[in-house]
Amino acid sequence: MSGRRTVIIFKSESESSDRYAEELHANGFNPIFVPTLSFGFKNLAQLRAKLQTPDLFAGIIFTSPRCVEAVCEALQFAELHSGWKLLHNYAVGEVTHNLALSSLQQLFTHGKQTGNARNLGDFIVDTFDGSRDLPLLLPCGNLRTDLLLSKLVENGFQVDACEVYETVCHPALAENMERALQADNIEYFAFFSPSGVNCVHEYCKAHNVNMGNWKLVAIGPSTRLAIEDRGLRVFQTAERPSVEYLIKVLLNPSVGRPRPTGEIKAEEK
């Protein structure tokens, strides 16, 4: 393993982790996964009541896999009302789209190619062809930003935002970090969410670890902003949360050069 460059990936555990590991290995990298965040569900009875009345909504928006998982938890192993399949349903990213398909009776969502909330908001505004008299249901977490919500409201949509999970630092983060930092040839830290950046930054401050010793890779614009807000330099930014885009910026650094960000922020993680 000594000839491989190590990438520490700050990403919650999911089915996609195996594919990330396989593809990164195939391209000469040694990936080490550090689960950074832990999630707890809330307000599920409230969410369940909304899910039972699809006729009161224009559709549903999933901004992360946790939103899909919250719906599954709220349903308590019951099937999702078939009426949702007739509505306008959306997801940020392929992982979230695929999870909705596999766990919610093949519920199809649009917008998986958008990759972040800013782009999804534009996509919904540009393509929505239904009535805006009914709200779009938006299950969300406690750390969400209002970018997507504001974009939709500004364009005449009604949005029912229902906070259904809380994000906290993973309870084993310190132990996992200590183990990961013992690896050989660590070259990259790859972050998948602003909240992941927050947790790792707090750990590094508490343990006198200089994050500037490694090349910091951001997945998405809001993650890039979170890194920069802490006075750190972003080495590269992957446009979308997929292993292909991560490998692309690792192998071809010019692809992901940071650009001016302005007010760009993604929805959540």
Side-chain angles (χ1 to χ4, degrees):
M1 202 62 76
S2 60
R4 292 177 177 265
R5 292 177 290 170
T6 294
V7 186
I8 298 182
I9 300 176
F10 299 103
K11 181 179 181 295
S12 60
E13 297 177 81
S14 68
E15 292 181 1
S16 66
S17 297
D18 288 342
R19 183 159 180 266
Y20 271 81
E22 180 181 338
E23 294 294 331
L24 285 162
H25 273 295
N27 282 275
F29 296 98
N30 171 37
I32 296 177
F33 293 89
V34 175
T36 316
L37 305 173
S38 181
F39 304 95
F41 296 116
K42 59 191 289 189
N43 299 326
L44 295 185
Q46 178 185 355
L47 176 60
R48 181 164 57 252
K50 297 176 188 295
L51 294 171
Q52 292 170 347
T53 56
D55 54 307
L56 299 181
F57 294 92
I60 190 168
I61 303 173
F62 298 112
T63 57
S64 75
R66 256 63 57 193
C67 299
V68 180
E69 292 166 4
V71 168
C72 293
E73 290 287 328
L75 291 171
Q76 296 181 335
F77 303 106
E79 291 192 355
L80 180 69
H81 193 296
S82 60
W84 287 100
K85 291 187 177 182
L86 305 175
L87 303 181
H88 297 77
N89 305 310
Y90 303 92
V92 173
E94 292 189 13
V95 172
T96 304
H97 167 83
N98 292 337
L99 186 60
L101 272 178
S102 63
S103 60
L104 296 174
Q105 293 77 56
Q106 296 295 302
L107 182 70
F108 186 84
T109 57
H110 299 274
K112 66 178 182 179
Q113 75 283 358
T114 58
N116 61 58
R118 178 181 64 121
N119 292 340
L120 181 62
D122 291 338
F123 176 82
I124 294 174
V125 170
D126 292 341
T127 64
F128 187 85
D129 59 0
S131 170
R132 302 189 184 185
D133 293 335
L134 295 176
L136 289 162
L137 180 58
L138 179 65
C140 56
N142 62 312
L143 298 182
R144 72 175 174 88
T145 66
D146 286 330
L147 176 67
L148 176 59
L149 178 62
S150 299
K151 176 73 174 182
L152 294 175
V153 170
E154 289 168 3
N155 284 274
F157 290 87
Q158 297 184 57
V159 181
D160 185 347
C162 182
E163 191 171 298
V164 293
Y165 70 90
E166 291 184 322
T167 304
V168 297
C169 296
H170 196 285
L173 177 60
E175 176 184 344
N176 292 332
M177 280 292 295
E178 184 176 348
R179 184 181 302 113
L181 291 175
Q182 294 175 0
D184 295 328
N185 298 332
I186 300 173
E187 186 168 345
Y188 304 97
F189 278 12
F191 294 94
F192 276 69
S193 69
S195 45
V197 173
N198 295 344
C199 291
V200 173
H201 186 254
E202 288 302 313
Y203 167 87
C204 289
K205 281 202 310 182
H207 294 82
N208 296 316
V209 175
N210 183 4
M211 290 174 63
N213 289 337
W214 299 281
K215 298 173 181 176
L216 308 182
V217 177
I219 311 300
S222 67
T223 304
R224 179 176 74 240
L225 280 174
I227 295 172
E228 293 173 340
D229 285 347
R230 280 146 190 82
L232 297 164
R233 179 180 179 273
V234 177
F235 178 67
Q236 303 297 337
T237 302
E239 294 179 7
R240 296 180 182 173
S242 72
V243 66
E244 292 83 4
Y245 277 83
L246 175 58
I247 290 173
K248 184 184 295 185
V249 298
L250 294 178
L251 294 179
N252 185 9
S254 63
V255 170
R257 292 293 182 200
R259 300 188 301 269
T261 52
E263 73 284 354
I264 295 173
K265 287 185 181 290
E267 176 67 9
E268 61 184 335
K269 279 290 177 181

